[in-house]
Amino acid sequence: MISGSFGVGKTTFVGSASQIPPLRMEERITQASAGVDDLERTPRKTTTTVGMDFGRLHLSDALVLYLFGTPGQGRFRPMWAGLTEGALGALVLVDTRNLEASHEILELHEEQGTPYAVAINLFDGAPYYQLDEIRQALDLDPHTPLTTCDAREGTSSVLALITLCEYLSELHAPVLEPRP
Protein backbone atom coordinates (compact mmCIF):
# COMPACT_ATOMS: atom_id res chain seq x y z
CA MET A 1 0.00 0.00 0.00
CA ILE A 2 1.03 3.56 -0.66
CA SER A 3 -0.71 5.76 1.88
CA GLY A 4 -0.54 9.23 3.33
CA SER A 5 -2.62 12.29 3.96
CA PHE A 6 -4.54 14.30 1.37
CA GLY A 7 -2.28 15.83 -1.30
CA VAL A 8 0.94 14.11 -0.18
CA GLY A 9 1.75 12.63 -3.62
CA LYS A 10 0.40 9.06 -3.54
CA THR A 11 -1.04 9.14 -7.07
CA THR A 12 2.15 10.70 -8.40
CA PHE A 13 4.25 8.09 -6.56
CA VAL A 14 2.28 5.13 -7.95
CA GLY A 15 2.51 6.61 -11.44
CA SER A 16 6.27 7.12 -11.27
CA ALA A 17 7.06 3.71 -9.76
CA SER A 18 4.68 1.58 -11.84
CA GLN A 19 5.95 -0.29 -14.88
CA ILE A 20 2.44 -0.44 -16.31
CA PRO A 21 0.14 2.48 -17.02
CA PRO A 22 -1.40 3.09 -13.59
CA LEU A 23 -5.09 2.70 -12.94
CA ARG A 24 -6.34 5.90 -11.36
CA MET A 25 -9.71 6.48 -9.74
CA GLU A 26 -9.74 10.24 -9.55
CA GLU A 27 -12.42 12.87 -9.78
CA ARG A 28 -12.24 16.61 -10.19
CA ILE A 29 -12.35 18.55 -6.95
CA THR A 30 -15.61 20.48 -6.89
CA GLN A 31 -17.14 23.16 -4.70
CA ALA A 32 -18.80 20.32 -2.75
CA SER A 33 -15.44 19.52 -1.18
CA ALA A 34 -14.95 23.08 0.08
CA GLY A 35 -14.52 22.92 3.82
CA VAL A 36 -14.03 19.14 3.61
CA ASP A 37 -10.70 18.86 1.77
CA ASP A 38 -7.96 21.25 2.90
CA LEU A 39 -6.57 22.78 -0.29
CA GLU A 40 -4.57 25.48 1.49
CA ARG A 41 -1.23 23.67 0.99
CA THR A 42 -2.15 22.36 -2.46
CA PRO A 43 -3.93 25.26 -4.22
CA ARG A 44 -3.19 23.86 -7.71
CA LYS A 45 -4.63 20.41 -6.93
CA THR A 46 -7.60 19.80 -9.23
CA THR A 47 -8.33 16.09 -8.71
CA THR A 48 -8.52 13.68 -5.80
CA THR A 49 -8.44 9.90 -5.49
CA VAL A 50 -11.91 8.57 -4.71
CA GLY A 51 -11.12 4.86 -4.90
CA MET A 52 -7.52 3.83 -5.25
CA ASP A 53 -4.57 3.99 -7.58
CA PHE A 54 -3.05 0.76 -8.86
CA GLY A 55 0.33 -0.01 -10.38
CA ARG A 56 2.78 -2.89 -10.68
CA LEU A 57 6.54 -3.06 -10.27
CA HIS A 58 8.85 -6.00 -10.95
CA LEU A 59 11.85 -5.66 -8.63
CA SER A 60 13.23 -9.04 -9.72
CA ASP A 61 12.04 -12.27 -11.32
CA ALA A 62 10.96 -13.43 -7.87
CA LEU A 63 9.53 -10.17 -6.51
CA VAL A 64 6.60 -8.29 -8.01
CA LEU A 65 4.96 -5.47 -6.08
CA TYR A 66 1.33 -4.56 -6.59
CA LEU A 67 0.99 -0.92 -5.63
CA PHE A 68 -2.31 0.22 -4.15
CA GLY A 69 -2.49 3.95 -3.51
CA THR A 70 -5.10 4.80 -0.90
CA PRO A 71 -7.28 7.89 -0.69
CA GLY A 72 -5.96 10.31 1.93
CA GLN A 73 -9.18 11.76 3.31
CA GLY A 74 -10.70 10.40 6.51
CA ARG A 75 -14.10 9.97 4.85
CA PHE A 76 -12.64 7.08 2.82
CA ARG A 77 -11.50 5.23 5.97
CA PRO A 78 -14.06 2.39 5.50
CA MET A 79 -12.22 1.40 2.28
CA TRP A 80 -9.02 0.76 4.21
CA ALA A 81 -10.14 -2.58 5.66
CA GLY A 82 -10.45 -4.03 2.16
CA LEU A 83 -7.24 -2.44 0.91
CA THR A 84 -5.17 -3.56 3.90
CA GLU A 85 -6.46 -7.14 3.81
CA GLY A 86 -3.60 -9.24 2.52
CA ALA A 87 -1.19 -6.31 2.30
CA LEU A 88 2.32 -7.21 3.43
CA GLY A 89 3.09 -3.61 4.33
CA ALA A 90 2.68 0.04 3.54
CA LEU A 91 4.82 2.96 2.53
CA VAL A 92 3.47 6.08 4.24
CA LEU A 93 4.27 9.28 2.36
CA VAL A 94 4.74 12.35 4.53
CA ASP A 95 4.86 16.05 3.66
CA THR A 96 6.99 18.25 5.94
CA ARG A 97 4.63 21.15 5.24
CA ASN A 98 1.97 19.31 7.26
CA LEU A 99 3.49 16.62 9.50
CA GLU A 100 0.45 16.73 11.78
CA ALA A 101 -1.76 15.27 9.01
CA SER A 102 0.36 12.09 9.01
CA HIS A 103 -0.61 11.03 12.53
CA GLU A 104 -4.06 9.76 11.50
CA ILE A 105 -2.61 7.61 8.71
CA LEU A 106 0.10 6.17 10.97
CA GLU A 107 -2.54 5.36 13.61
CA LEU A 108 -4.68 3.60 10.98
CA HIS A 109 -1.78 1.33 10.04
CA GLU A 110 -1.05 0.60 13.68
CA GLU A 111 -4.73 -0.23 14.32
CA GLN A 112 -4.77 -2.53 11.27
CA GLY A 113 -1.45 -4.13 12.29
CA THR A 114 0.09 -3.27 8.93
CA PRO A 115 3.88 -2.89 9.10
CA TYR A 116 5.03 0.32 7.45
CA ALA A 117 7.98 2.42 6.44
CA VAL A 118 7.83 6.20 6.14
CA ALA A 119 9.09 8.24 3.17
CA ILE A 120 9.33 12.02 3.29
CA ASN A 121 8.15 13.30 -0.10
CA LEU A 122 10.55 16.12 -1.04
CA PHE A 123 8.28 18.88 -2.31
CA ASP A 124 9.90 21.95 -3.85
CA GLY A 125 10.08 24.70 -1.23
CA ALA A 126 9.00 22.45 1.65
CA PRO A 127 10.81 22.87 4.97
CA TYR A 128 13.78 20.57 5.46
CA TYR A 129 14.26 18.73 8.75
CA GLN A 130 16.80 16.14 9.84
CA LEU A 131 15.36 12.61 9.81
CA ASP A 132 15.75 12.31 13.62
CA GLU A 133 13.62 15.44 14.01
CA ILE A 134 10.93 13.96 11.78
CA ARG A 135 11.13 10.60 13.60
CA GLN A 136 10.57 12.43 16.87
CA ALA A 137 7.77 14.65 15.50
CA LEU A 138 5.93 11.60 14.15
CA ASP A 139 6.71 9.56 17.29
CA LEU A 140 8.03 6.69 15.16
CA ASP A 141 9.35 3.50 16.67
CA PRO A 142 13.16 3.43 16.38
CA HIS A 143 12.92 0.37 14.10
CA THR A 144 10.48 1.96 11.65
CA PRO A 145 12.38 2.72 8.44
CA LEU A 146 12.45 6.41 7.55
CA THR A 147 13.70 7.64 4.19
CA THR A 148 13.15 10.40 1.66
CA CYS A 149 11.91 10.34 -1.92
CA ASP A 150 10.71 12.54 -4.72
CA ALA A 151 7.41 10.99 -5.81
CA ARG A 152 7.84 12.54 -9.27
CA GLU A 153 11.01 10.52 -9.92
CA GLY A 154 10.67 6.81 -10.66
CA THR A 155 14.11 5.84 -9.36
CA SER A 156 13.56 7.75 -6.12
CA SER A 157 10.15 6.11 -5.62
CA VAL A 158 11.54 2.64 -6.31
CA LEU A 159 14.34 3.19 -3.76
CA ALA A 160 11.73 4.07 -1.13
CA LEU A 161 9.86 0.86 -1.98
CA ILE A 162 13.09 -1.12 -1.66
CA THR A 163 13.48 0.33 1.86
CA LEU A 164 10.02 -1.00 2.68
CA CYS A 165 10.76 -4.41 1.11
CA GLU A 166 14.01 -4.78 3.04
CA TYR A 167 12.17 -4.01 6.27
CA LEU A 168 9.41 -6.49 5.48
CA SER A 169 12.02 -9.13 4.61
CA GLU A 170 13.63 -8.65 8.01
CA LEU A 171 10.24 -8.91 9.75
CA HIS A 172 9.31 -12.09 7.92
CA ALA A 173 12.74 -13.74 7.79
CA PRO A 174 12.71 -17.26 9.21
CA VAL A 175 14.38 -17.53 12.58
CA LEU A 176 17.09 -20.16 12.34
CA GLU A 177 17.61 -22.19 15.45
CA PRO A 178 21.23 -22.93 16.33
CA ARG A 179 22.20 -26.55 15.87
CA PRO A 180 22.80 -28.49 19.09
Side-chain angles (χ1 to χ4, degrees), residues 131-145:
L131 290 181
D132 340 351
E133 293 175 296
I134 294 172
R135 180 177 296 283
Q136 185 176 2
L138 295 177
D139 194 26
L140 296 178
D141 181 276
H143 302 292
T144 301

PDB file of all heavy atoms in Angstrom, residues 131-145:
ATOM      1  N   LEU A 131      16.230  13.771   9.642  1.00  0.00           N
ATOM      2  CA  LEU A 131      15.361  12.608   9.805  1.00  0.00           C
ATOM      3  C   LEU A 131      15.062  12.331  11.278  1.00  0.00           C
ATOM      4  O   LEU A 131      13.948  11.924  11.614  1.00  0.00           O
ATOM      5  CB  LEU A 131      15.964  11.378   9.120  1.00  0.00           C
ATOM      6  CG  LEU A 131      15.967  11.422   7.584  1.00  0.00           C
ATOM      7  CD1 LEU A 131      16.559  10.150   7.010  1.00  0.00           C
ATOM      8  CD2 LEU A 131      14.571  11.663   7.033  1.00  0.00           C
ATOM      9  N   ASP A 132      16.044  12.571  12.183  1.00  0.00           N
ATOM     10  CA  ASP A 132      15.754  12.314  13.616  1.00  0.00           C
ATOM     11  C   ASP A 132      14.674  13.267  14.122  1.00  0.00           C
ATOM     12  O   ASP A 132      13.885  12.904  14.978  1.00  0.00           O
ATOM     13  CB  ASP A 132      16.945  12.484  14.551  1.00  0.00           C
ATOM     14  CG  ASP A 132      18.288  12.422  13.934  1.00  0.00           C
ATOM     15  OD1 ASP A 132      18.404  12.075  12.780  1.00  0.00           O
ATOM     16  OD2 ASP A 132      19.224  12.733  14.679  1.00  0.00           O
ATOM     17  N   GLU A 133      14.655  14.490  13.611  1.00  0.00           N
ATOM     18  CA  GLU A 133      13.618  15.443  14.011  1.00  0.00           C
ATOM     19  C   GLU A 133      12.245  14.971  13.532  1.00  0.00           C
ATOM     20  O   GLU A 133      11.254  15.067  14.262  1.00  0.00           O
ATOM     21  CB  GLU A 133      13.908  16.832  13.443  1.00  0.00           C
ATOM     22  CG  GLU A 133      15.139  17.501  14.010  1.00  0.00           C
ATOM     23  CD  GLU A 133      15.439  18.816  13.314  1.00  0.00           C
ATOM     24  OE1 GLU A 133      15.730  18.793  12.094  1.00  0.00           O
ATOM     25  OE2 GLU A 133      15.366  19.852  14.001  1.00  0.00           O
ATOM     26  N   ILE A 134      12.195  14.458  12.322  1.00  0.00           N
ATOM     27  CA  ILE A 134      10.931  13.956  11.783  1.00  0.00           C
ATOM     28  C   ILE A 134      10.503  12.707  12.539  1.00  0.00           C
ATOM     29  O   ILE A 134       9.329  12.557  12.894  1.00  0.00           O
ATOM     30  CB  ILE A 134      11.043  13.699  10.266  1.00  0.00           C
ATOM     31  CG1 ILE A 134      11.240  15.035   9.542  1.00  0.00           C
ATOM     32  CG2 ILE A 134       9.819  12.949   9.740  1.00  0.00           C
ATOM     33  CD1 ILE A 134      11.548  14.925   8.080  1.00  0.00           C
ATOM     34  N   ARG A 135      11.444  11.817  12.828  1.00  0.00           N
ATOM     35  CA  ARG A 135      11.134  10.600  13.596  1.00  0.00           C
ATOM     36  C   ARG A 135      10.504  10.985  14.935  1.00  0.00           C
ATOM     37  O   ARG A 135       9.506  10.408  15.355  1.00  0.00           O
ATOM     38  CB  ARG A 135      12.402   9.764  13.813  1.00  0.00           C
ATOM     39  CG  ARG A 135      12.150   8.476  14.597  1.00  0.00           C
ATOM     40  CD  ARG A 135      13.406   7.639  14.718  1.00  0.00           C
ATOM     41  NE  ARG A 135      13.886   7.175  13.435  1.00  0.00           N
ATOM     42  CZ  ARG A 135      13.362   6.175  12.741  1.00  0.00           C
ATOM     43  NH1 ARG A 135      12.329   5.512  13.208  1.00  0.00           N
ATOM     44  NH2 ARG A 135      13.878   5.817  11.579  1.00  0.00           N
ATOM     45  N   GLN A 136      11.086  11.985  15.580  1.00  0.00           N
ATOM     46  CA  GLN A 136      10.567  12.431  16.873  1.00  0.00           C
ATOM     47  C   GLN A 136       9.195  13.092  16.715  1.00  0.00           C
ATOM     48  O   GLN A 136       8.271  12.807  17.479  1.00  0.00           O
ATOM     49  CB  GLN A 136      11.551  13.394  17.520  1.00  0.00           C
ATOM     50  CG  GLN A 136      11.146  13.816  18.913  1.00  0.00           C
ATOM     51  CD  GLN A 136      12.208  14.699  19.559  1.00  0.00           C
ATOM     52  OE1 GLN A 136      13.226  15.024  18.959  1.00  0.00           O
ATOM     53  NE2 GLN A 136      11.948  15.088  20.789  1.00  0.00           N
ATOM     54  N   ALA A 137       9.045  13.954  15.724  1.00  0.00           N
ATOM     55  CA  ALA A 137       7.772  14.651  15.502  1.00  0.00           C
ATOM     56  C   ALA A 137       6.634  13.676  15.199  1.00  0.00           C
ATOM     57  O   ALA A 137       5.489  13.896  15.607  1.00  0.00           O
ATOM     58  CB  ALA A 137       7.910  15.667  14.377  1.00  0.00           C
ATOM     59  N   LEU A 138       6.951  12.598  14.493  1.00  0.00           N
ATOM     60  CA  LEU A 138       5.931  11.597  14.151  1.00  0.00           C
ATOM     61  C   LEU A 138       5.818  10.504  15.206  1.00  0.00           C
ATOM     62  O   LEU A 138       4.980   9.611  15.080  1.00  0.00           O
ATOM     63  CB  LEU A 138       6.246  10.972  12.782  1.00  0.00           C
ATOM     64  CG  LEU A 138       6.183  11.914  11.592  1.00  0.00           C
ATOM     65  CD1 LEU A 138       6.593  11.188  10.315  1.00  0.00           C
ATOM     66  CD2 LEU A 138       4.803  12.532  11.454  1.00  0.00           C
ATOM     67  N   ASP A 139       6.687  10.557  16.212  1.00  0.00           N
ATOM     68  CA  ASP A 139       6.705   9.561  17.289  1.00  0.00           C
ATOM     69  C   ASP A 139       6.850   8.144  16.724  1.00  0.00           C
ATOM     70  O   ASP A 139       6.124   7.228  17.096  1.00  0.00           O
ATOM     71  CB  ASP A 139       5.440   9.683  18.143  1.00  0.00           C
ATOM     72  CG  ASP A 139       5.557   8.924  19.466  1.00  0.00           C
ATOM     73  OD1 ASP A 139       6.703   8.734  19.947  1.00  0.00           O
ATOM     74  OD2 ASP A 139       4.509   8.498  20.004  1.00  0.00           O
ATOM     75  N   LEU A 140       7.803   7.990  15.795  1.00  0.00           N
ATOM     76  CA  LEU A 140       8.030   6.692  15.157  1.00  0.00           C
ATOM     77  C   LEU A 140       8.853   5.783  16.052  1.00  0.00           C
ATOM     78  O   LEU A 140       9.781   6.233  16.732  1.00  0.00           O
ATOM     79  CB  LEU A 140       8.761   6.872  13.823  1.00  0.00           C
ATOM     80  CG  LEU A 140       8.037   7.627  12.727  1.00  0.00           C
ATOM     81  CD1 LEU A 140       8.929   7.758  11.496  1.00  0.00           C
ATOM     82  CD2 LEU A 140       6.727   6.945  12.373  1.00  0.00           C
ATOM     83  N   ASP A 141       8.551   4.516  16.000  1.00  0.00           N
ATOM     84  CA  ASP A 141       9.351   3.501  16.669  1.00  0.00           C
ATOM     85  C   ASP A 141      10.765   3.562  16.092  1.00  0.00           C
ATOM     86  O   ASP A 141      10.926   3.796  14.885  1.00  0.00           O
ATOM     87  CB  ASP A 141       8.718   2.127  16.392  1.00  0.00           C
ATOM     88  CG  ASP A 141       9.446   0.996  17.057  1.00  0.00           C
ATOM     89  OD1 ASP A 141      10.437   0.514  16.469  1.00  0.00           O
ATOM     90  OD2 ASP A 141       9.027   0.594  18.156  1.00  0.00           O
ATOM     91  N   PRO A 142      11.790   3.348  16.899  1.00  0.00           N
ATOM     92  CA  PRO A 142      13.163   3.430  16.383  1.00  0.00           C
ATOM     93  C   PRO A 142      13.462   2.448  15.245  1.00  0.00           C
ATOM     94  O   PRO A 142      14.367   2.683  14.451  1.00  0.00           O
ATOM     95  CB  PRO A 142      14.037   3.105  17.597  1.00  0.00           C
ATOM     96  CG  PRO A 142      13.162   3.201  18.785  1.00  0.00           C
ATOM     97  CD  PRO A 142      11.739   3.083  18.330  1.00  0.00           C
ATOM     98  N   HIS A 143      12.684   1.373  15.146  1.00  0.00           N
ATOM     99  CA  HIS A 143      12.919   0.370  14.102  1.00  0.00           C
ATOM    100  C   HIS A 143      12.145   0.654  12.809  1.00  0.00           C
ATOM    101  O   HIS A 143      12.366  -0.010  11.799  1.00  0.00           O
ATOM    102  CB  HIS A 143      12.579  -1.030  14.615  1.00  0.00           C
ATOM    103  CG  HIS A 143      13.369  -1.412  15.819  1.00  0.00           C
ATOM    104  ND1 HIS A 143      14.726  -1.633  15.779  1.00  0.00           N
ATOM    105  CD2 HIS A 143      12.995  -1.579  17.105  1.00  0.00           C
ATOM    106  CE1 HIS A 143      15.162  -1.936  16.980  1.00  0.00           C
ATOM    107  NE2 HIS A 143      14.134  -1.897  17.809  1.00  0.00           N
ATOM    108  N   THR A 144      11.247   1.621  12.854  1.00  0.00           N
ATOM    109  CA  THR A 144      10.478   1.955  11.650  1.00  0.00           C
ATOM    110  C   THR A 144      11.393   2.645  10.647  1.00  0.00           C
ATOM    111  O   THR A 144      11.989   3.677  10.955  1.00  0.00           O
ATOM    112  CB  THR A 144       9.303   2.893  11.996  1.00  0.00           C
ATOM    113  OG1 THR A 144       8.453   2.244  12.945  1.00  0.00           O
ATOM    114  CG2 THR A 144       8.505   3.257  10.754  1.00  0.00           C
ATOM    115  N   PRO A 145      11.522   2.086   9.447  1.00  0.00           N
ATOM    116  CA  PRO A 145      12.378   2.721   8.436  1.00  0.00           C
ATOM    117  C   PRO A 145      11.847   4.109   8.072  1.00  0.00           C
ATOM    118  O   PRO A 145      10.642   4.309   7.934  1.00  0.00           O
ATOM    119  CB  PRO A 145      12.298   1.779   7.233  1.00  0.00           C
ATOM    120  CG  PRO A 145      11.837   0.479   7.793  1.00  0.00           C
ATOM    121  CD  PRO A 145      10.975   0.816   8.969  1.00  0.00           C
TER     122      PRO A 145
END
